[in-house]
Structures are given as C-alpha cells and as structure tokens.
Amino acid sequence: MRSYMILIFGSINVDLIVPVLNLPQPGETVLGGDYALLPGGKGANQALAARRAGSEVVLAGAVGPDSFAGIALELLRRGGVDTHLVRVVERPTGCAAIVVSQAGENAIAVAPGANTSVRSDQVPDESFDANTILLAQMEVPVRETETLMGRVRARGGRCLLNLAPALPIDLRLLSAIDLLVANEGEVTKTGLDPPQLARRLRQGLVVTRGAAGAIAFLADGSRIEVPALPIEAVDTTGAGDTFVGVLAAALDLGSNLKSALRGRAQLQVSPASGAALRLRCRIGRRSMPR
C-alpha cells in the first residue's frame, strides 16, 4: 500500500440546503426557495479542496448504507480523491441542515450519523510516512483523532488540526500538532489567548477573521498578517474548509507557512471570499475553485 502526501481523517456529510430571505429567529418559521442536496462535511470538503489545489489526497471516514452515501462520495471520486479508506457502517450517512440567507449568512445543524463511527485503526500504518500531512477536524471522535496523530507523529509526519466545530480539546494534545487553524470564536473556547496557544504548538496557530483576513501566531512569538481579498461574499458555507484544504496543499507542495498564507492559499480562497472565489453560484463543495 502506498503512502499519501495528505491524509484527511474527517467527516463526510450530505448538506440539505434551504435558501431564505432572512435567517429565522428562535421560534419563527420562514418560507424558502427550492432545497438542494449537496455533498458536504468538513473532512470531505477539505479533501476536495486540497486535491483541486494539486495534492495527492486520501480520505478516511465513514458513510451509511443509504442513498446519501452516493451523493456524499460521487464528487470526491470524480475529483480524484482516494476514498478506499472510507468505511460503510450501520449508521446513516451524516447530514447537515443549512439555511442560507440572501445576504450570504447561514445557520447549520448537523446530525453526525456514521461520522461517530470513524476509527483510527481503519488507517493502516502504510498509508502515511514522514512526508505525510495529516489533516483533521472536530467532526469525528476526538480520541480517534488523537490516536492517529500520535501514530503519524511517530513516523515523522506533520499534523494539522482545524479546530471546528469548537469542541473541548485536551491541551496536552497541542504539543503533537504542527499547525492549528481556527476562527476567533473557536480560539476563545480553548481558554488561551492566541500567542499562548501558539507557544504550545509545534509551528503555530492560524486564526481566520472573516473580512479582516487571517493572522498566524507562530510558536517563536512572531506573527504573519494576511488581508482578505476584496471579493463580494455570496455565501460563506465551505469557505473555511476551502481555506484549510488549500493551505494544507500549499504546505504539501513545498511552500513555507508565510508563502502559503500570502501566496497560494490567499490566491485560491480568502477567509472573506466565501467558497465562491471563482464561481458565484452554488454553496459548499460545488462552488470551490477548480
């Protein structure tokens, strides 16, 4: 079995999307336009973004024995993402219900389903080596992610964690993480300020700030500030995933962090641009840059 340059350990969902004029308030019902069923999930989104940015990518995850599985995986396979480490389990494929306003804001509720059955032991040691970047998120069991990170680190690989959604994390894990990517709210949930958090990581922390761009706080105390590109946001669903996937690909393809943030990653998608940097159309994975 070959090793891969980017190994993504994460969630696979189908997104049920309803466009509305304005997001509903608590207790309010609003009428929307035609719904759409589209592939999603942070792990799957980041896998496709990294592949479209030029890296060899394998995705490890889980889907159910249902029709949603085909919707979730078809675009990945067509896009060149290796899915042989995706298991079929006796749980429904994950599903996210997404309401999107005309202003491009969204509200999301996720039913994890099969994602709760993802296990680190479905990834054999032969799938990674010292040249591998492990990219993970917080939508599969955290203990399984921690275990896989330890195995990848033991073989000299790099670990990148997207701290989304904002769930509790064992701070002892930070020393095994090369790069942590989070938005400002997710950083707050750690109980540490950005410079403190960065000092506990192997390389540093990238904080995405929407229209304000991004800041990388490095473990040595320095920082890199990156402005957002001046692009009208159509819808921001999937923007963070696209940013993370393209960033991982830039690092995999030889860029240092400064170049990755200021060059390739910013060119492909800025945190303020939404996933639709090139395509002002459907949200999520179908609107990623190609």
Side-chain angles (χ1 to χ4, degrees), residues 13-14 37 39 63-74 88 91-94:
N13 291 334
V14 165
L37 287 173
V63 294
D66 51 42
S67 60
F68 274 14
I71 297 172
L73 296 176
E74 188 270 337
V88 178
R91 298 288 305 276
T93 299

Side-chain angles (χ1 to χ4, degrees), residues 6-115:
I6 297 184
L7 165 62
I8 297 187
F9 187 71
S11 58
I12 303 169
N13 291 334
V14 165
D15 294 342
L16 171 61
I17 302 154
V18 180
V20 296
L21 181 62
N22 296 299
L23 296 183
Q25 299 300 309
E28 180 185 13
T29 298
V30 299
L31 294 178
D34 293 343
Y35 71 86
L37 287 173
L38 298 176
K42 288 187 172 297
N45 287 345
Q46 292 174 18
L48 189 60
R51 180 71 190 100
R52 286 183 174 175
S55 287
E56 292 293 323
V57 178
V58 63
L59 172 64
V63 294
D66 51 42
S67 60
F68 274 14
I71 297 172
L73 296 176
E74 188 270 337
L75 190 61
L76 289 169
R77 290 168 173 160
R78 189 151 44 89
V81 175
D82 190 321
T83 60
H84 81 275
L85 294 181
V86 175
R87 300 170 59 221
V88 178
V89 299
E90 292 303 317
R91 298 288 305 276
T93 299
C95 181
I98 305 174
V99 181
V100 183
S101 76
Q102 197 171 70
E105 299 176 319
N106 62 62
I108 305 174
V110 179
N115 294 309

Side-chain angles (χ1 to χ4, degrees), residues 7 38 81 108 130 133 161-162 171 180 186 213 216 223 273 280:
L7 165 62
L38 298 176
V81 175
I108 305 174
I133 294 176
L161 178 66
N162 178 207
L171 296 181
L180 188 69
E186 291 156 357
R223 65 177 64 182
S273 71
R280 297 178 73 252

Side-chain angles (χ1 to χ4, degrees), residues 176-191:
I177 299 171
D178 291 272
L179 196 63
L180 188 69
V181 181
N183 63 30
E184 293 172 297
E186 291 156 357
V187 170
T188 300
K189 293 292 182 69
T190 68

Side-chain angles (χ1 to χ4, degrees), residues 46-243:
Q46 292 174 18
L48 189 60
R51 180 71 190 100
R52 286 183 174 175
S55 287
E56 292 293 323
V57 178
V58 63
L59 172 64
V63 294
D66 51 42
S67 60
F68 274 14
I71 297 172
L73 296 176
E74 188 270 337
L75 190 61
L76 289 169
R77 290 168 173 160
R78 189 151 44 89
V81 175
D82 190 321
T83 60
H84 81 275
L85 294 181
V86 175
R87 300 170 59 221
V88 178
V89 299
E90 292 303 317
R91 298 288 305 276
T93 299
C95 181
I98 305 174
V99 181
V100 183
S101 76
Q102 197 171 70
E105 299 176 319
N106 62 62
I108 305 174
V110 179
N115 294 309
T116 62
S117 299
V118 176
R119 300 193 328 231
S120 58
D121 62 9
Q122 72 189 69
V123 183
D125 287 342
E126 295 78 13
S127 298
F128 52 86
D129 59 22
N131 296 313
T132 298
I133 294 176
L134 170 64
L135 174 54
Q137 316 79 33
M138 303 293 286
E139 288 189 330
V140 299
V142 176
R143 289 295 180 90
E144 299 297 328
T145 299
E146 293 174 357
T147 299
L148 185 56
M149 281 187 171
R151 291 169 54 203
V152 171
R153 286 292 317 146
R155 293 175 71 97
R158 290 179 285 175
C159 297
L160 194 161
L161 178 66
N162 178 207
L163 195 62
L167 298 176
I169 184 174
D170 187 342
L171 296 181
R172 293 174 297 180
L173 177 63
L174 298 178
S175 62
I177 299 171
D178 291 272
L179 196 63
L180 188 69
V181 181
N183 63 30
E184 293 172 297
E186 291 156 357
V187 170
T188 300
K189 293 292 182 69
T190 68
L192 301 173
D193 64 33
Q196 289 176 320
L197 187 53
R199 285 194 294 271
R200 301 183 69 163
L201 298 162
R202 296 178 60 83
Q203 184 174 9
L205 165 71
V206 176
V207 181
T208 57
R209 304 184 301 155
I215 301 180
F217 297 86
L218 304 185
D220 63 8
S222 61
R223 65 177 64 182
I224 304 167
E225 295 196 31
V226 182
L229 298 178
I231 294 173
E232 178 188 356
V234 177
D235 172 55
T236 59
T237 305
D241 294 336
T242 305
F243 178 83

